[in-house]
Every structure is written in C-alpha cells, then in structure tokens.
C-alpha cells in the first residue's frame, strides 16, 4: 500500500497496521465492504478481514480467534469508533494451505486466492440508524 492509499483510507490502513503488528500474518486482506450498505459514498464503516497467522495455530475455537481480532481492533469497534461491522476470516497457516489445496482440487483457483474461497459476509442488520444515509451522495 502506498501513502496515498493510507491517506484516502485511514481506517483500512489502521486495521491492516494493527493486525499486522499484533498477529504477524502470512496473509492479510482488508476489504472495505461499506459500498454494499446504506452509508455515504467513500465510507469506511463495514469491513471484512482475512487473516492467516501462526498465532491462530493453537487457538482452535473460532470465537476465541474472533475475540483476538476484536481486542486488537477495540478502538475501531468501540461505540465512538469508525467501524460499524466487521466480518472475520481467521485461519492458521495449515488451515489456509488446506483451503488453497481444496480449491485447486475443486478447480476454483490456480493456486491463487480468489473471492470464491472466502465466505461472504453476513447481511447487515441495519445497525441503530445513526449512520447518515447515502441518498443524495
């Protein structure tokens, strides 16, 4: 990511930086899904993170992995934080490798990561209505 990307997407840059620092991932993807929701254009309110980290190797309970990510991003997820919704895919390197191998075997990739391999985010339930509407933007 160059400096202009971090300047234009400060929340995304903060998420990426904090997760990278805390989890030393072998793969990370931060996806701004705000455009899929009723928020103003160029918002940074809805994200999906895909994190592959050795830190998850001995953490087998998915909820514990999610809590780790949520703790790292506690400021962004706080009541006053910028992030309204966060979808998390948290895998150990072994799980990720198996996922890639299965996708290749099923013909869903060529050894590359693609969106078909990553589960879709759950539908947004609309929040509390505090976000401004994107109508007219």
């Amino acid at each position: 990511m160059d400096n202009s990307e971090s300047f234009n997407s400060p929340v995304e840059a903060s998420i990426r930086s904090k997760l990278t620092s805390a989890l030393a991932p072998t793969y990370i993807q931060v996806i701004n899904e705000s455009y899929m929701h009723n928020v103003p254009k160029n918002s940074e309110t809805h994200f999906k993170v895909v994190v592959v980290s050795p830190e998850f190797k001995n953490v087998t309970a998915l909820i514990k992995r999610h809590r780790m990510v949520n703790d790292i991003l506690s400021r962004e997820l706080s009541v006053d934080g910028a992030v309204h919704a966060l979808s998390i895919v948290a895998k150990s390197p072994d799980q990720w490798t198996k996922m890639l191998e299965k996708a290749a075997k099923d013909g869903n990739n060529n050894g590359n990561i693609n969106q078909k391999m990553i589960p879709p985010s759950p539908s947004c339930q609309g929040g509390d209505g505090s976000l401004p509407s994107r109508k007219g933007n």
Side-chain angles (χ1 to χ4, degrees):
M1 174 186 345
D2 64 27
N3 287 338
S4 65
E5 286 181 57
S6 62
F7 178 74
N8 293 328
S9 305
V11 177
E12 182 177 340
S14 176
I15 291 170
R16 182 181 313 280
S17 174
K18 287 182 176 185
L19 292 175
T20 298
S21 177
L23 298 173
T26 57
Y27 178 82
I28 186 168
Q29 187 176 17
V30 179
I31 305 162
N32 184 345
E33 297 184 329
S34 302
Y35 71 93
M36 298 165 46
H37 303 278
N38 188 27
V39 295
K41 188 176 180 180
N42 299 321
S43 290
E44 290 189 282
T45 56
H46 295 70
F47 287 91
K48 174 186 286 187
V49 295
V50 181
V51 185
V52 180
S53 171
E55 296 292 323
F56 297 138
K57 183 178 180 179
N58 296 318
V59 182
T60 56
L62 186 59
I63 189 72
K64 289 184 179 181
R65 292 179 182 185
H66 285 213
R67 286 179 180 150
M68 288 170 68
V69 171
N70 285 333
D71 287 347
I72 294 164
L73 301 176
S74 61
R75 183 170 178 204
E76 288 79 2
L77 294 168
S78 70
V79 173
D80 296 327
V83 178
H84 164 75
L86 181 67
S87 176
I88 302 168
V89 177
K91 302 283 185 189
S92 70
D94 288 344
Q95 289 174 314
W96 189 248
T97 298
K98 287 177 185 172
M99 204 167 117
L100 289 173
E101 289 170 352
K102 182 180 181 325
K105 181 180 174 188
D106 294 344
N108 290 335
N109 76 348
N110 297 319
N112 298 312
I113 297 144
N114 65 48
Q115 294 307 312
K116 291 180 183 176
M117 296 171 45
I118 301 168
S121 298
S123 297
C124 185
Q125 300 301 308
D128 63 4
S130 65
L131 296 173
S133 173
R134 71 173 168 199
K135 293 175 184 160
N137 288 334

